Amino acid sequence: FGYVRVAEISPELVPANIGYNTEAILLALREASREGCQVALFPELSITGYTCADLFYQSLLLSHAVESLIRIADETSRVPISVVVGLPLAIEGRIYNCAAFASGGHVLGIVPKTYLPTTNEYYEERWFTSARENKVTDVEVGGVRVAFGTDLLFRASNVAGCILGIEICEDLWAPNQP
């Protein structure tokens, strides 16, 4: 009937513990695939955890997040599932709150968040740059250039005809969505 089985997965995460979080994501991907899911969606900043605060400025955290993304993408070559996973990404001296899409063993693109909340307990503008400030259309991830921007569509290699776009949190609710 053209349906796609999608899993929204919120594994237990530990802020700034990328090794732990990556293993939790990989375990959840394998389980979702065994259950017949074709696309798995993980929370915003799921690789690092959302609450890293000023640790987002640490180059070690940022580089390990990219290494984790590569491991997660590689898993999609062994497990027939496509994945959306969140991570911070440093580009040209700015840090973006991003969602990456991986399928068939490759990172196919990365979408930066546009609308950064700054009310109540949210301080995203302290650490992240809005996608409106972005000047690049692709970035290097593991020696490969991948698309970067808010206007991307992705084809899930494991599901015929499945094409999807990504919006992150406030971007979905904004009056003028990216």
Side-chain angles (χ1 to χ4, degrees):
F1 294 105
Y3 293 115
V4 176
R5 181 170 280 193
V6 178
E8 295 178 340
I9 304 171
S10 294
E12 183 177 322
L13 302 173
V14 177
N17 190 335
I18 294 171
Y20 179 90
N21 298 342
T22 302
E23 292 306 319
I25 290 167
L26 292 173
L27 181 64
L29 274 179
R30 293 176 193 126
E31 184 178 337
S33 178
R34 279 193 303 273
E35 294 294 324
C37 290
Q38 298 159 302
V39 178
L41 310 174
F42 287 88
E44 179 176 5
L45 296 168
S46 52
I47 288 176
T48 58
Y50 185 85
T51 57
C52 289
D54 285 352
L55 290 176
F56 285 123
Y57 294 129
Q58 296 295 316
S59 60
L60 191 60
L61 182 90
L62 297 170
S63 64
H64 283 192
V66 172
E67 291 169 10
S68 171
L69 173 60
I70 294 165
R71 279 191 64 204
I72 293 165
D74 186 56
E75 185 70 13
T76 66
S77 69
R78 290 183 288 285
V79 178
I81 196 165
S82 295
V83 62
V84 177
V85 66
L87 75 156
L89 190 63
I91 300 166
E92 296 183 346
R94 297 174 183 211
I95 303 170
Y96 295 88
N97 176 347
C98 298
F101 182 79
S103 186
H106 304 284
V107 176
L108 299 179
I110 300 174
V111 176
K113 187 173 180 178
T114 300
Y115 294 98
L116 305 174
T118 59
T119 57
N120 300 321
E121 69 273 17
Y122 299 104
Y123 304 103
E124 285 191 36
E125 284 186 355
R126 177 181 171 103
W127 307 292
F128 302 113
T129 300
S130 169
R132 285 183 288 243
E133 305 293 322
N134 174 46
K135 305 290 187 240
V136 302
T137 58
D138 59 54
V139 295
E140 184 179 316
V141 176
V144 177
R145 301 300 297 180
V146 299
F148 184 82
T150 58
D151 59 348
L152 304 176
L153 293 176
F154 301 102
R155 182 179 307 277
S157 64
N158 61 312
V159 185
C162 179
I163 299 173
L164 52 104
I166 298 172
E167 291 182 326
I168 306 168
C169 203
E170 276 75 12
D171 292 355
L172 178 65
W173 301 307
N176 186 17
Q177 300 167 337

